[in-house]
Amino acid sequence: MPETSRRGLLFGTAAIGAGALLTACTSNEKKDEPAANEQPVDDKPGKAVTIGFAGPQADHGWLAAINANARAQAKKYSDVTLDITEGSNDTAAQIGQIDSLINKKVDVLVILPADGKALTQAGLKAMRAGIPVINLDRIFADPQAFRCYVGGDNYGMGVNAGKYIGEKLKDKPNATVIELSGPDSLELTKQRTQGFDDALKNYPNIKKVARQAADFTVESGQAKMAQLLQAQSKFDALWNHDDDQGVGALRAIDQAGRDGFLMVGGAGAKSAMDAIKADNSVLKATVLYPPIMASTAIDLARALGQGKGVSGMAGLEIPAQVTLFSAVVDKDNVDEYLPQGFS
Amino acid sequence: MKQPASEAQQGGPDAAPADAAPVPLTKPAGRTPGGSGGRPPLGLRLDFRTLSLLGVLAALIVVGGITKPDQFLDTSNLQLVLTQASIIGVVTVGMTFVITSGGIDLSVGAIVALASVWATTLATQEYGFAGILFTAIIVGLACGLVNGVLIAYGGMAPFIATLAIMASARGLALQITDGNTQVVTLESVLDLGSRDSYILGVPPLVIIFAAVTVIGWLLLNRTTFGRRTVAVGGNAEATRLAGIDVRRQRLYLYLLSGLCCGIAAFMLIVLSGSGQNTNGNLYELDAIAAAIIGGTLLSGGRGTIVGSVLGVLIFTTITNIFALNNLQSDVQQIAKGAIIVAAVLVQRRTARNGEG
């Protein structure tokens, strides 16, 4: 995950006119569809482009949504052919898949590596073969391995979750929050936690009193949340890094018969958005890590393949990095984001 | 099953009457723990091994009571620890039988995943509670059957066969769900996990765990089936020569493990209210670890249900104490490893002293 890209690229993102992006960036603007073509990148049919797509095994709702978004976006363009390889979490297997896409001489490659560092060489190889690479979500170790990086903002997720909770609790003296994080083995978990802690520093009346790491699974979410509830007889807010494990966390909260606190989720699953809309549980908001970044990657891959810039943006070329905004979805704006919620 | 009388005539290892001790004659007498005469080496008799496990558990309870007196000794915490132990506990009971017979089942976690997603996908509203329960159990049994046939009749090594099933079952679970979480909305299933359904303060999942434990104990210690399991693990060839159908016995054992996985899958659906292809992640390692620190021999020939259950409770209690003290997962994993090493070292010492 990019440390460098965060701030500067929010600007770049905002400037891109794609409707899909706009929806993610500007929470106050009304949009019906996540990819409404009000201000298209340039959707007039152009030169035919074949985009190769190599992603990891979709063993999680978010990754399944990435694949679905990539397919849907590619289908919008009559000039785009999408060549998707079978997902694998095995580094060697994914390298082989990228090799096969290089051999097929696709015009542009979109790669969401199972492990960014481990797949760097595969990215370099494609670039050397003259195929521009769009690196999605998990960043390669070498900037030469990609032409453009498209990803989400994990640090920003933490910041926005912290800000949201902070604003809700800022008038409450001695407020306490707890955190149910993702797996500690992942860099993105550290970034989310760091962002959260940094944001809470702005609210001296709020103290984080406990944190447990779950594994992005329902089962672990239930188990770890049950423990947290046992350990903390009272607290004011909970930030849960992931809506999939949030299904389990909500179940544990329900089983323990607990309420009287505010819960904020992460990632943007449909089940979470439904619960926010229904407003009948402690879950009041979720911070996006939007899978529509796959649609963005397809848009940019197409522009690359056709040798175009992006309309609405100064410059002849597409940007080097695009980082999507981690918007907070709560009851007030959930209807706008619901179509983006993944199951 | 063959009647013990015919075995007695052949003078096989299972020659003793049904209610006597399972003494695998084919093993050196000295290796039988507490092998003094016909006393059962396993069971309720509190041998040094069981006592040392109880000691570890007691020490943990003291640590928990000292560090978090208000929370740890609370009734709701006791309910939580037992509930969290119950699912992996049921899997461990099945695993104990398989390991006692000299086998291994690496596919338990994957079977739990497959059974839970199949049950939550196919048997939802229309099929109701029974649909979910029976689908989970039938899928568990079916996976156990495949394991058993491959190992008993296909001659595959248990490690390889169950490894293959582990991969296939996970793949199938992923295919069924497409990576999505199957959320259960059926009230009758969800209610079983709620506080209202506790019976005299005991959660239904804990009652299932207790029932499986008691049945498992009886089956291993008080039946021909149990004695044959021990005999197969002690010396399969001698057991075969004694006229026991070793292959059929092995088939039954993997079926039993699959059944336990099916039950565990149902319990997991109740607890988490969903089915996910990641369910049961690393259950195989947790179950093997619990059985081994409980005193079941990885090489087979000796198994103890009581020890396995104590092993599970020790792990769950550690996790609970760490969470109450807000220690992070890295510390938890290190401690878990240390406990496994310590428990096995203590047991080796006591075993050697006992055999002295």
Side-chain angles (χ1 to χ4, degrees):
Chain A
M1 307 294 139
E3 286 286 348
T4 50
S5 61
R6 226 174 282 131
R7 277 169 213 90
L9 295 165
L10 287 177
F11 175 72
T13 314
I16 293 183
L21 284 174
L22 261 178
T23 319
C25 301
T26 56
S27 52
N28 298 326
E29 210 161 319
K30 276 279 171 203
K31 287 282 184 304
D32 295 323
E33 286 288 317
N37 290 328
E38 291 184 11
Q39 225 183 348
V41 173
D42 181 1
D43 63 353
K44 287 190 280 292
K47 187 185 137 201
V49 176
T50 303
I51 300 172
F53 186 96
Q57 197 169 45
D59 53 5
H60 182 272
W62 187 85
L63 284 167
I66 282 280
N67 287 346
N69 272 297
R71 284 206 172 88
Q73 193 69 11
K75 208 171 265 177
K76 283 192 181 139
Y77 302 115
S78 58
D79 49 13
V80 166
T81 310
L82 193 65
D83 194 339
I84 293 193
T85 60
E86 195 63 38
S88 170
N89 285 327
D90 177 53
T91 297
Q94 203 180 12
I95 289 172
Q97 288 161 354
I98 293 166
D99 278 345
S100 75
L101 289 171
I102 294 172
N103 289 342
K104 280 186 189 169
K105 297 192 165 53
V106 294
D107 298 307
V108 188
L109 258 175
V110 176
I111 303 175
L112 200 174
D115 179 334
K117 283 177 189 153
L119 265 291
T120 304
Q121 288 303 320
L124 281 170
K125 187 174 172 185
M127 291 291 281
R128 285 194 196 109
I131 300 173
V133 171
I134 300 220
N135 180 196
L136 187 56
D137 186 43
R138 302 171 192 175
I139 199 162
F140 291 141
D142 183 347
Q144 290 193 66
F146 56 87
R147 164 63 183 80
C148 173
Y149 170 80
V150 179
D153 186 3
N154 285 299
Y155 180 85
M157 261 183 97
V159 167
N160 291 344
K163 258 192 203 161
Y164 183 83
I165 289 174
E167 287 304 310
K168 293 282 174 190
L169 298 180
K170 67 180 174 192
D171 298 324
K172 193 176 169 70
N174 303 321
T176 53
V177 301
I178 62 174
E179 186 181 19
L180 182 67
S181 79
D184 272 334
S185 55
L186 297 180
E187 184 67 22
L188 65 92
T189 298
K190 287 172 212 155
Q191 291 168 354
R192 288 178 190 185
T193 294
Q194 188 63 51
F196 188 61
D197 291 347
D198 287 353
L200 285 184
K201 282 178 192 153
N202 299 320
Y203 306 91
N205 62 316
I206 304 175
K207 197 174 160 222
K208 188 168 97 177
V209 289
R211 175 185 185 276
Q212 286 290 311
D215 294 325
F216 283 171
T217 65
V218 177
E219 187 188 349
S220 67
Q222 196 280 338
K224 299 294 181 142
M225 192 64 222
Q227 297 279 19
L228 272 173
L229 290 169
Q230 192 62 46
Q232 307 298 325
S233 53
K234 200 179 171 323
F235 56 89
D236 299 301
L238 156 72
W239 185 42
N240 161 52
H241 284 205
D242 180 70
D243 287 334
D244 253 18
Q245 70 189 28
V247 172
L250 278 170
R251 185 94 178 103
I253 291 164
D254 192 37
Q255 281 159 348
R258 290 279 289 272
D259 54 13
F261 60 89
L262 149 85
M263 173 174 170
V264 175
K270 186 172 179 301
S271 65
M273 292 193 196
D274 285 339
I276 290 165
K277 188 174 166 141
D279 197 17
N280 55 6
S281 71
V282 292
L283 185 63
K284 299 300 180 199
T286 185
V287 191
L288 295 188
Y289 191 78
I292 54 152
M293 66 175 67
S295 314
T296 310
I298 297 296
D299 281 347
L300 294 176
R302 175 172 172 265
L304 263 179
Q306 295 178 337
K308 291 176 180 166
V310 182
S311 69
M313 264 183 92
L316 298 170
E317 305 285 347
I318 72 159
Q321 292 194 327
V322 176
T323 304
L324 276 76
F325 185 67
S326 294
V328 177
V329 178
D330 67 2
K331 201 170 177 239
D332 296 337
N333 61 5
V334 63
D335 285 329
E336 296 166 49
Y337 288 98
L338 207 44
Q340 278 182 35
F342 54 88
S343 54
Chain B
M1 291 190 192
K2 289 208 179 88
Q3 70 284 23
S6 68
E7 291 151 20
Q9 284 157 11
Q10 293 170 43
D14 253 2
D19 56 350
V23 182
L25 297 180
T26 49
K27 299 202 77 170
R31 284 199 58 189
T32 311
S36 55
R39 295 293 304 273
L42 9 116
L44 284 181
R45 195 169 67 91
L46 287 179
D47 55 10
F48 203 89
R49 195 180 309 279
T50 314
L51 280 174
S52 65
L53 288 170
L54 283 171
V56 172
L57 194 55
L60 285 173
I61 290 170
V62 170
V63 171
I66 289 173
T67 53
K68 290 279 164 186
D70 298 338
Q71 291 149 344
F72 184 74
L73 300 171
D74 192 63
T75 314
S76 65
N77 194 49
L78 195 65
Q79 289 165 336
L80 175 68
V81 171
L82 289 175
T83 304
Q84 297 203 324
S86 57
I87 296 174
I88 188 68
V90 168
V91 174
T92 306
V93 168
M95 181 70 85
T96 304
F97 276 87
V98 170
I99 297 181
T100 303
S101 77
I104 196 93
D105 190 346
L106 298 179
S107 62
V108 289
I111 296 177
V112 169
L114 181 59
S116 69
V117 301
W118 213 322
T120 49
T121 308
L122 293 186
T124 48
Q125 307 294 350
E126 313 116 84
Y127 300 91
F129 185 95
I132 290 186
L133 175 63
F134 287 119
T135 312
I137 286 177
I138 288 166
V139 173
L141 280 171
C143 293
L145 180 70
V146 177
N147 274 332
V149 167
L150 288 177
I151 292 160
Y153 296 97
M156 281 176 81
F159 186 88
I160 304 298
T162 58
L163 193 64
I165 298 306
M166 171 172 109
S168 316
R170 280 256 176 242
L172 200 51
L174 182 55
Q175 195 173 54
I176 289 172
T177 59
D178 209 7
N180 296 325
T181 303
Q182 320 277 330
V183 178
V184 176
T185 51
L186 201 66
E187 293 294 336
S188 56
V189 171
L190 296 179
D191 284 348
L192 205 55
S194 76
R195 206 161 273 278
D196 298 335
S197 62
Y198 288 11
I199 299 158
L200 298 172
V202 185
L205 294 185
V206 176
I207 294 173
I208 298 176
F209 175 35
V212 169
T213 302
V214 170
I215 294 169
W217 185 85
L218 289 172
L219 198 57
L220 188 59
N221 297 296
R222 292 288 179 266
T223 66
T224 317
F225 180 86
R227 289 187 296 114
R228 286 179 178 170
T229 304
V230 177
V232 168
N235 188 329
E237 182 60 13
T239 311
R240 190 185 66 78
L241 291 172
I244 292 169
D245 191 338
V246 170
R247 291 196 292 193
R248 199 174 58 188
Q249 182 70 19
R250 287 213 168 108
L251 175 66
Y252 288 155
L253 286 165
Y254 287 94
L255 269 174
L256 182 67
S257 180
L259 172 67
C260 287
C261 293
I263 296 170
F266 176 74
M267 294 164 75
L268 189 52
I269 292 168
V270 168
L271 191 65
S272 68
S274 60
Q276 203 182 26
N277 61 290
T278 49
N279 278 350
N281 191 28
L282 297 184
Y283 273 21
E284 53 278 356
L285 295 185
D286 285 345
I288 292 168
I292 299 304
I293 78 162
T296 297
L297 268 188
L298 192 54
S299 52
R302 187 180 72 209
T304 147
I305 300 291
V306 174
S308 294
V309 169
L310 285 173
V312 170
L313 288 177
I314 286 171
F315 279 143
T316 317
T317 310
I318 295 173
T319 311
N320 180 256
I321 292 171
F322 281 26
L324 290 181
N325 287 288
N326 200 28
L327 290 168
Q328 299 304 305
S329 48
D330 47 353
V331 192
Q332 296 184 15
Q333 286 172 357
I334 295 167
K336 199 165 162 180
I339 290 272
I340 295 175
V341 172
V344 172
L345 283 180
V346 166
Q347 286 179 1
R348 287 185 56 151
R349 244 185 110 79
T350 56
R352 230 181 270 132
N353 292 345
E355 284 158 22

